[in-house]
Amino acid sequence: MEKADLYTHTSENLVEETCYHCGLPCDNTAIRYDSKSFCCNGCRAVYSILKEKDLCAYYKLPDAKGNSPDRSYYKGKYQYLDLPEIRQKVVSFSENGVTQVNWYIPSMHCSSCIWLLENLHKLHDGVTAALVDFPEKTVRISIRDEAIKLSGLAGLMSSVGYEPYISLNDLEGKKTSRFDRKRIYKIGIAGFAFGNIMFMGLSDYFTIIGSTGLGSETEAVFGALSILLSLPVFFYCSSDFFVSAWKAIKNRQLNIDAPIALAILVTFVRSLFEIASQTGSGYLDSMTGIVFFMLIGRYFQDKSYSLISFDRDYKSFFPVAVSVIKNGVDSQKQISEIEPGDRLRIRSNEMIPCDGRLISETAAIDYSFVSGESAPVIKTMNEQVYAGGKISGASIELEATKKVAQSYLTGLWNNDVFTQDRDEEESRLTSFINRYFTIAVFLAGSVSWICWAWAGDFKRGFDAMTTVWIIACPCALLLSDTFTNGNLLAIFRRNGLYLKNAHILEKLSGIKKVVFDKTGTLTLPDAAEVRFKGIPLTPAEKGMIAEVSKQSVHPLSRLIREFLERQAGETGVFSVSGLKQYKEQAGGGLEAVCGGVTVRLGSGRWVGETGAGEEETRTSRVYVAFAGMVRGFFEVESKYRDGLKETVRSLERDGIEACMLSGDRPTDMAFLSEVFGGEEKLSFSRTPQDKLDFVRQLQGSRKEAVMMLGDGLNDAGALMQSDVGVAVSDNINNFTPASDAILEGSRLKDIGAFVRLAVAGRRIVTGSFGISVIYNIVGLYFAVQGELEPVVAAILMPASSVSIILFTTLTSRLKARQLMKAKNL
Amino acid sequence: MSAIYILIAAGLAIAGGFLFVFLWAVRSGQFDDDITPSIRILFDDEEPADTPKNNSG
């Protein structure tokens, strides 16, 4: 009895039961093991591994939520890692039998992950050490070569739910490090110089109040020390601004760094001149302060960028290597080396890397990622198969007809939109400043010089001009931009929208049209509603259908089986045995003899149903027949996310047009036209290229800002073409097509609020621009007279910076609370 | 007035010392990952942890 308990699907008290390993609800199919419940065999397997190695302390950690191991894992999946040329690319170093790798683990998500990964040495003797970098989601592992191979290590990690992600991009050496230590050095040095120069300037600040009585000798020493301290700030810390300004000027453009670089340069030169000629104490404190604050602002903004990779092309989705059959022997080959004529073996759940000709008899290929079509395509021998499809069902063999880079799917990446460099674009506000602000500052300085020169006071004119250039430095503006953006990026991230960079924020605020993809974006990827229509089935018949559908890997069979098991959870347990003569007809259905009765599941034609006009059905139907008698059909309907209608309405209230673009065949017209307010808003059966063109057409000649929300490779072109391409994903660790932003599927309904918050963000920046203009006018009032006391500069500069940081932080938080809390249930 | 020179020198030396320590800390990688160590410190170690403390790299 005890043993039978292990895998029986029990039916009592399961409502609140959660999986001991991953913490997810067990639905009605809990697996009992070691007097604990598990949601699936994967979780149970991880538990037994941990228990065996005495690592159950894992479950005592406060937020332990384990990962279920990858279901598509199979023995030998990582064999390619042992190929010398691949191995050499994935290891950090390898010497004297010790190898170190630094692998990216997308499924790492909580503190217990760190604990388990860092205890990897307890799972296998060959692992000597493991060190996690949580923000980067990487783990550095040292192994002894004689005890464990790289493929073994990857398999070991997969078996406990931490599959390493190894992509072609890594192999090609395109690694980007988020972290730049130089920037922190610069902040430290600038802060040090700023503090100490201000310290020495203190005596000077009080001279307006009363004489400090410092002798000129002391002043000279202080001046010399200030210059000494400001040298590293001028030559090292502010080098970024000069480099960036110089680059822009070389391209005959002006950027925001240009006036900043001008201000820094003028302040420094004038301060040197004043101190050397003993005519004043200079503005070195203000200069170092400006640099210090601006460096902090940039650091803050960079830090709030998400660590998710946005620039994925097809290479990130494709396997690194596939099995090639040569003379009857399987061997691994890097996919870039596949030549036409190679015989490939593609296993279940693996992706077809290149176009080819099918050698196996049949293959069920899931092209949902490429075309958006949710039902798998059945191909038979000698048919052409295209790259990008995932194999569902048994493994297949095919003969490559094209190289990977020349395949149909990868050809999409040759479109122009993928080669344009989008990162260089500047935001409109900043480009406005660049165009007019810099010129205005230049003119104001020159005019005040001319005025003084007219009056015959050249010296004062020179003073006035330089002071204007110093005081008009748009550092406060830069700060308001960086801090507002940094804050908003962080707020968006907390709410499930991950933006690639701050430019996207501004684009988001100008959105006029929103295009939704259907499959995977509007629908839930793994859920479907199943209904049975026809003569009611007895429990025994349900058990038979469940048993037959268990034999097939077709997604519809899986959904039906799950549906029946859910139902059975309430009434009892299936007890069916004796399944015979099972066969599966590609494009037709299943047949088996169960308890002496022939059971058929499948299309209307397959079961002999004549009345069904299959062209008209908007849902997938699976007919059931017992002994040739049709009993009815299961209706499988894709399930839509909640609140779609409200989402579209809220966008429309803001004057944003919404429409839908699908690669799928027309389904659920009634529901969708209600959501989008009319059938003319819906487009079906679009190829990836059609989608790209559709977005381009929407943008039109007026260049209206279009946001595209999609999830698959079939949307990749449209995502790139749109102004804001948002990849929707239910697990942000999953790999999404190249995009400007990644949105958690559950937050799709909040898209209107996100846009509104982005608009509010623009207003905040404009508001803080107003504040900085007030400061600038006050400063300019002194400056044009050529009388800017260092103390005024030293007060104005930090005061404006701090007040702008406070203003933007407070207002953006407040606005976010208003907009997001209302939605936050 | 010589007192002020001594004080300035001492002040600069102390501040410079801190700057040096800061730069050294950044260089040794202590600022590369500011999240994991804060979590790691909360784990109970039933046996002496033998993960390396070496962060540089």
Side-chain angles (χ1 to χ4, degrees), chain A residues 90-93 100-105 131-133 136-142 165-166 170 175:
Chain A
V90 295
V91 301
S92 323
F93 77 82
Q100 197 179 64
V101 291
N102 198 8
W103 276 344
Y104 177 53
I105 316 285
L131 196 72
V132 170
D133 185 333
E136 301 255 12
K137 289 198 177 180
T138 58
V139 57
R140 190 162 48 232
I141 305 172
S142 305
Y165 172 67
I166 298 157
D170 296 342
K175 275 181 196 163

Side-chain angles (χ1 to χ4, degrees), chain A residues 71-89:
Chain A
R71 272 172 221 201
S72 62
Y73 176 77
Y74 52 86
K75 206 166 180 296
K77 180 171 181 179
Y78 292 107
Q79 246 170 28
Y80 63 83
L81 288 176
D82 299 331
L83 288 177
E85 67 269 23
I86 292 182
R87 183 191 147 88
Q88 180 213 331
K89 286 175 187 163

Side-chain angles (χ1 to χ4, degrees), chain A residues 156-172:
Chain A
L156 173 73
M157 291 167 74
S158 296
S159 71
V160 288
Y162 296 98
E163 193 179 8
Y165 172 67
I166 298 157
S167 85
L168 278 174
N169 278 347
D170 296 342
L171 298 188
E172 285 171 7

Side-chain angles (χ1 to χ4, degrees), chain A residues 631-643:
Chain A
R631 291 292 297 275
F633 56 84
F634 288 95
E635 202 171 50
V636 181
E637 197 176 41
S638 38
K639 207 167 166 184
Y640 286 87
R641 296 187 194 278
D642 295 333

Side-chain angles (χ1 to χ4, degrees), chain A residues 645-666:
Chain A
K645 207 174 154 185
E646 291 73 28
T647 308
V648 174
R649 291 295 158 275
S650 103
L651 285 172
E652 280 170 353
R653 266 201 303 280
D654 292 344
I656 299 169
E657 219 179 288
C659 58
M660 195 208 77
L661 188 60
S662 175
D664 213 344
R665 72 213 134 87

Side-chain angles (χ1 to χ4, degrees), chain A residues 702-775:
Chain A
R702 280 183 294 158
K703 294 264 170 255
E704 285 206 281
V706 174
M707 169 155 67
M708 169 83 203
L709 294 113
D711 71 309
L713 273 186
N714 61 322
D715 304 314
L719 289 174
M720 283 305 270
Q721 174 65 39
S722 62
D723 298 271
V724 180
V726 182
V728 178
S729 174
D730 281 83
N731 177 1
I732 56 151
N733 300 324
N734 277 350
F735 294 99
T736 47
S739 57
D740 299 315
I742 298 176
L743 175 66
E744 279 176 19
S746 57
R747 305 308 296 259
L748 184 78
K749 57 184 190 300
D750 294 338
I751 195 76
F754 284 124
V755 174
R756 235 171 283 152
L757 187 54
V759 174
R762 283 299 100 193
R763 290 213 193 100
I764 292 168
V765 173
T766 319
S768 42
F769 180 60
I771 297 181
S772 75
V773 165
I774 293 171
Y775 279 111

Side-chain angles (χ1 to χ4, degrees), chain A residues 57 61 111-112 114-115 118 121-122 128-135 140 178-179 181 184-185 188-189 192 196 199-200 214-215 217-218 221-222 225 229 299 303, chain B residues 1 4-5 7-8 11-12 15-17 19 22-24 26-36 39-40 42-44 46-47 50-52 54-57:
Chain A
L61 293 168
S111 61
S112 45
I114 302 173
W115 185 84
E118 294 194 343
H121 59 279
K122 290 187 188 155
T128 50
L131 196 72
V132 170
D133 185 333
F134 190 67
R140 190 162 48 232
R178 169 188 66 103
F179 192 80
R181 284 180 194 166
I184 300 198
Y185 289 153
I189 292 168
F192 166 77
N196 282 287
F199 187 49
M200 280 181 282
L214 282 182
E217 189 195 330
T218 322
V221 171
F222 279 12
L225 276 175
L229 285 167
Y299 174 75
K303 213 175 158 64
Chain B
M1 285 313 281
I4 211 162
Y5 295 133
L7 286 174
I8 287 288
L12 275 179
L19 179 69
F22 175 72
L23 295 182
W24 169 81
V26 175
R27 198 182 152 77
S28 71
Q30 294 184 30
F31 285 75
D32 291 5
D33 175 5
D34 48 6
I35 294 174
T36 324
I39 299 169
R40 196 179 287 134
L42 296 174
F43 294 144
D44 297 324
E46 289 131 280
E47 53 187 45
D50 39 20
T51 46
N54 171 25
N55 255 356
S56 62

Side-chain angles (χ1 to χ4, degrees), chain A residues 291-504:
Chain A
V291 173
F292 178 58
F293 280 111
M294 280 187 305
L295 285 176
I296 289 183
R298 294 214 162 158
Y299 174 75
F300 182 74
Q301 187 177 325
D302 283 0
K303 213 175 158 64
S304 46
Y305 285 161
S306 332
L307 300 167
I308 310 168
S309 164
F310 290 92
D311 295 310
R312 299 194 180 102
D313 60 10
Y314 64 92
K315 288 173 186 157
S316 313
F317 299 93
F318 280 16
V320 173
V322 286
S323 298
V324 174
I325 311 167
K326 214 173 187 178
N327 306 327
V329 186
D330 271 29
S331 62
Q332 297 278 325
K333 199 167 180 181
Q334 245 176 297
I335 70 162
S336 55
E337 285 164 16
I338 293 173
E339 295 290 335
D342 280 350
R343 248 178 110 110
L344 314 177
R345 188 196 300 282
I346 318 281
R347 295 184 174 85
S348 177
N349 271 319
E350 271 188 327
M351 197 178 266
I352 300 173
C354 60
D355 298 352
R357 193 174 54 81
L358 192 64
I359 295 174
S360 307
E361 247 168 59
T362 57
I365 304 169
D366 173 11
Y367 276 113
S368 58
F369 200 51
V370 183
S371 64
E373 170 69 55
S374 46
V377 178
I378 307 293
K379 295 275 182 183
T380 49
M381 198 195 272
N382 282 329
E383 263 192 281
Q384 172 85 24
V385 290
Y386 292 105
K390 258 191 180 169
I391 301 299
S392 47
S395 66
I396 61 151
E397 282 177 30
L398 63 88
E399 188 186 296
T401 52
K402 276 186 183 154
K403 284 186 160 199
V404 171
Q406 292 157 356
S407 292
Y408 169 71
L409 174 70
T410 44
L412 186 65
W413 269 268
N414 298 330
N415 194 301
D416 284 347
V417 291
F418 287 98
T419 50
Q420 283 164 13
D421 203 346
R422 292 159 59 99
D423 286 348
E424 293 301 312
E425 296 168 31
E426 284 221 332
S427 66
R428 261 171 291 152
L429 187 72
T430 352
S431 66
F432 167 80
I433 296 157
N434 301 339
R435 217 171 297 152
Y436 300 106
F437 191 84
T438 318
I439 296 167
V441 167
F442 212 84
L443 283 180
S446 313
V447 167
S448 50
W449 182 77
I450 291 167
C451 290
W452 285 111
W454 195 263
D457 196 343
F458 284 94
K459 162 86 179 58
R460 201 146 182 207
F462 176 75
D463 281 355
M465 183 175 72
T466 46
T467 331
V468 167
W469 288 350
I470 293 167
I471 205 75
C473 165
C475 62
L477 187 63
L478 184 78
L479 282 174
S480 75
D481 218 31
T482 49
F483 272 87
T484 313
N485 291 340
N487 267 320
L488 288 182
L489 287 175
I491 291 164
F492 277 23
R493 193 176 53 214
R494 273 200 297 277
N495 283 289
L497 179 64
Y498 303 79
L499 298 185
K500 185 172 165 186
N501 59 40
H503 293 323
I504 305 304

